[in-house]
Structures are given as C-alpha cells and as structure tokens.
Amino acid sequence: MSERQYAAHAGVSRGAVQKAKLAGRLALYGDGSIEAAGSDVRRAALTDPARQPPSPVRPKLKPVPEAAVAAVGETLREQGLSAPAVGGSTTFLQARTANEVLKAQERRLKLQKMKGELVARDRAKALLFRLAREERDAWVNWPGRVAALMAAELGVDAAVMHRALESQVRAHLGELADVRTDFE
C-alpha cells in the first residue's frame, strides 16, 4: 500500500503515516510500500493509546446511578430550568448545564468566603454560644447589683428584694433556654 492508501485504511492523516514510517512503527516491503496487516500490529504495539484515533466501535458505557440523575434534576429545578421527570432520561445538555450551575455556585461561595461574608458553621456556633453565655451571666448577676438600690427606693428589705428579683430573672432565663438555634 502507498502512504495515502494506508492512511485511509488506518483512519489517520498521511503525515501521521509518514511519522510512523520514520519512527519504525510500520512494516515495510523491500520496495518501500507498506504491509497493512503487519503495520497495524506494530502500530498498535508501539503507539501511545492516547494518540491513536478513536475506535469506530463505541465502548459500552456504564449506567449512570439514579442518585446522580436525581441530583442533576434537583439542581436544574432550583435554578428554575427544565428538568427531566423522575425516572426520565437526562440529556447531556441538561447534565452539563447542572454542572456549570454547580460550579458557578461553588465559585460564588468561595468568593463570599474570601470576602469574609461567610463564616464556618463551627465558628458561628461557638460565637453564638459564647455570646449567649455572657448574656445569661449578666442577667444572673443583675439582681445582686440592683437589689439593694431598688429596696432603698421602695423602702423594703434588701434580702427580700434580692430573692424576688433573682426568682423572676431565673424564671425568665428558663423560658429563654427553650429557644434552640438550628444551623442545619
């Protein structure tokens, strides 16, 4: 075969055949023509698989897990885009759109974090807990600070005033303790 004929046979360019010939990856006859069967075997053995043309036979594709398809649909619906029905087939364009949406959301979150607009959940919980504890401690100590002053203003016993204020503050703090924060 000539270089052109072998290029058509192998599904590559004539330049690729010439390079393979120079590199010694082809089986040649004495007159310089190409032996097709021997050259196919040598090219397959000596050529990097990543540089070979794709096979005309399509490889068998693995099935896509239902969870992945559902995630694509959920992402598309969140963005107000059309999504396949549950159990329906997702097109490549829909999956690619969902992937691009997720990448954009991820970039937005990274940017917000870099700007300091977002904080870690653990850090926010620790800060909220510390602030709540400081507030509670301030209220627990309040009756001891103001009971004597209020008792003098009202003309009552300071110990009685202190007990009354302390019981009311503790009851109120008990009500506030029922409030729960949910960061989930």
Side-chain angles (χ1 to χ4, degrees):
M1 285 189 169
S2 69
E3 288 178 356
R4 279 196 174 95
Q5 290 170 331
Y6 186 72
H9 163 78
V12 295
S13 68
R14 183 169 175 234
V17 171
Q18 289 172 339
K19 286 181 185 177
K21 191 175 186 180
L22 287 173
R25 290 191 307 258
L26 298 180
L28 304 174
Y29 289 114
D31 63 352
S33 62
I34 300 170
E35 178 196 347
S39 294
D40 290 343
V41 172
R42 286 190 75 172
R43 274 188 54 249
L46 299 174
T47 304
D48 180 9
R51 305 193 95 201
Q52 291 184 356
S55 169
V57 177
R58 292 194 152 236
K60 196 166 194 175
L61 299 176
K62 294 179 184 177
V64 178
E66 192 63 35
V69 174
V72 168
E74 183 180 325
T75 301
L76 292 173
R77 280 189 287 282
E78 285 176 0
Q79 297 302 313
L81 301 170
S82 64
V86 177
S89 62
T90 300
T91 65
F92 175 75
L93 181 60
Q94 288 172 324
R96 194 160 119 195
T97 301
N99 184 45
E100 292 301 317
V101 166
L102 288 173
K103 286 195 305 189
Q105 288 172 346
E106 183 180 26
R107 283 191 298 267
R108 186 184 73 229
L109 289 174
K110 282 181 182 177
L111 183 61
Q112 286 176 330
K113 189 172 183 180
M114 285 178 8
K115 287 181 176 180
E117 296 172 2
L118 294 179
V119 294
R121 180 183 297 183
D122 293 339
R123 184 175 172 209
K125 280 182 174 181
L127 179 62
L128 183 63
F129 180 78
R130 185 176 57 82
L131 291 173
R133 174 154 292 175
E134 288 175 4
E135 187 74 17
R136 180 189 60 93
D137 291 346
W139 273 105
V140 166
N141 294 328
W142 182 75
R145 285 193 340 233
V146 299
L149 296 172
M150 289 177 71
E153 259 184 54
L154 298 173
V156 295
D157 183 38
V160 172
M161 177 61 80
H162 184 268
R163 280 193 302 273
L165 284 174
E166 190 172 347
S167 69
Q168 292 301 317
V169 165
R170 289 199 182 274
H172 183 63
L173 288 175
E175 291 170 11
L176 292 176
D178 292 339
V179 176
R180 298 281 179 218
T181 56
D182 185 18
F183 288 101
E184 303 307 319

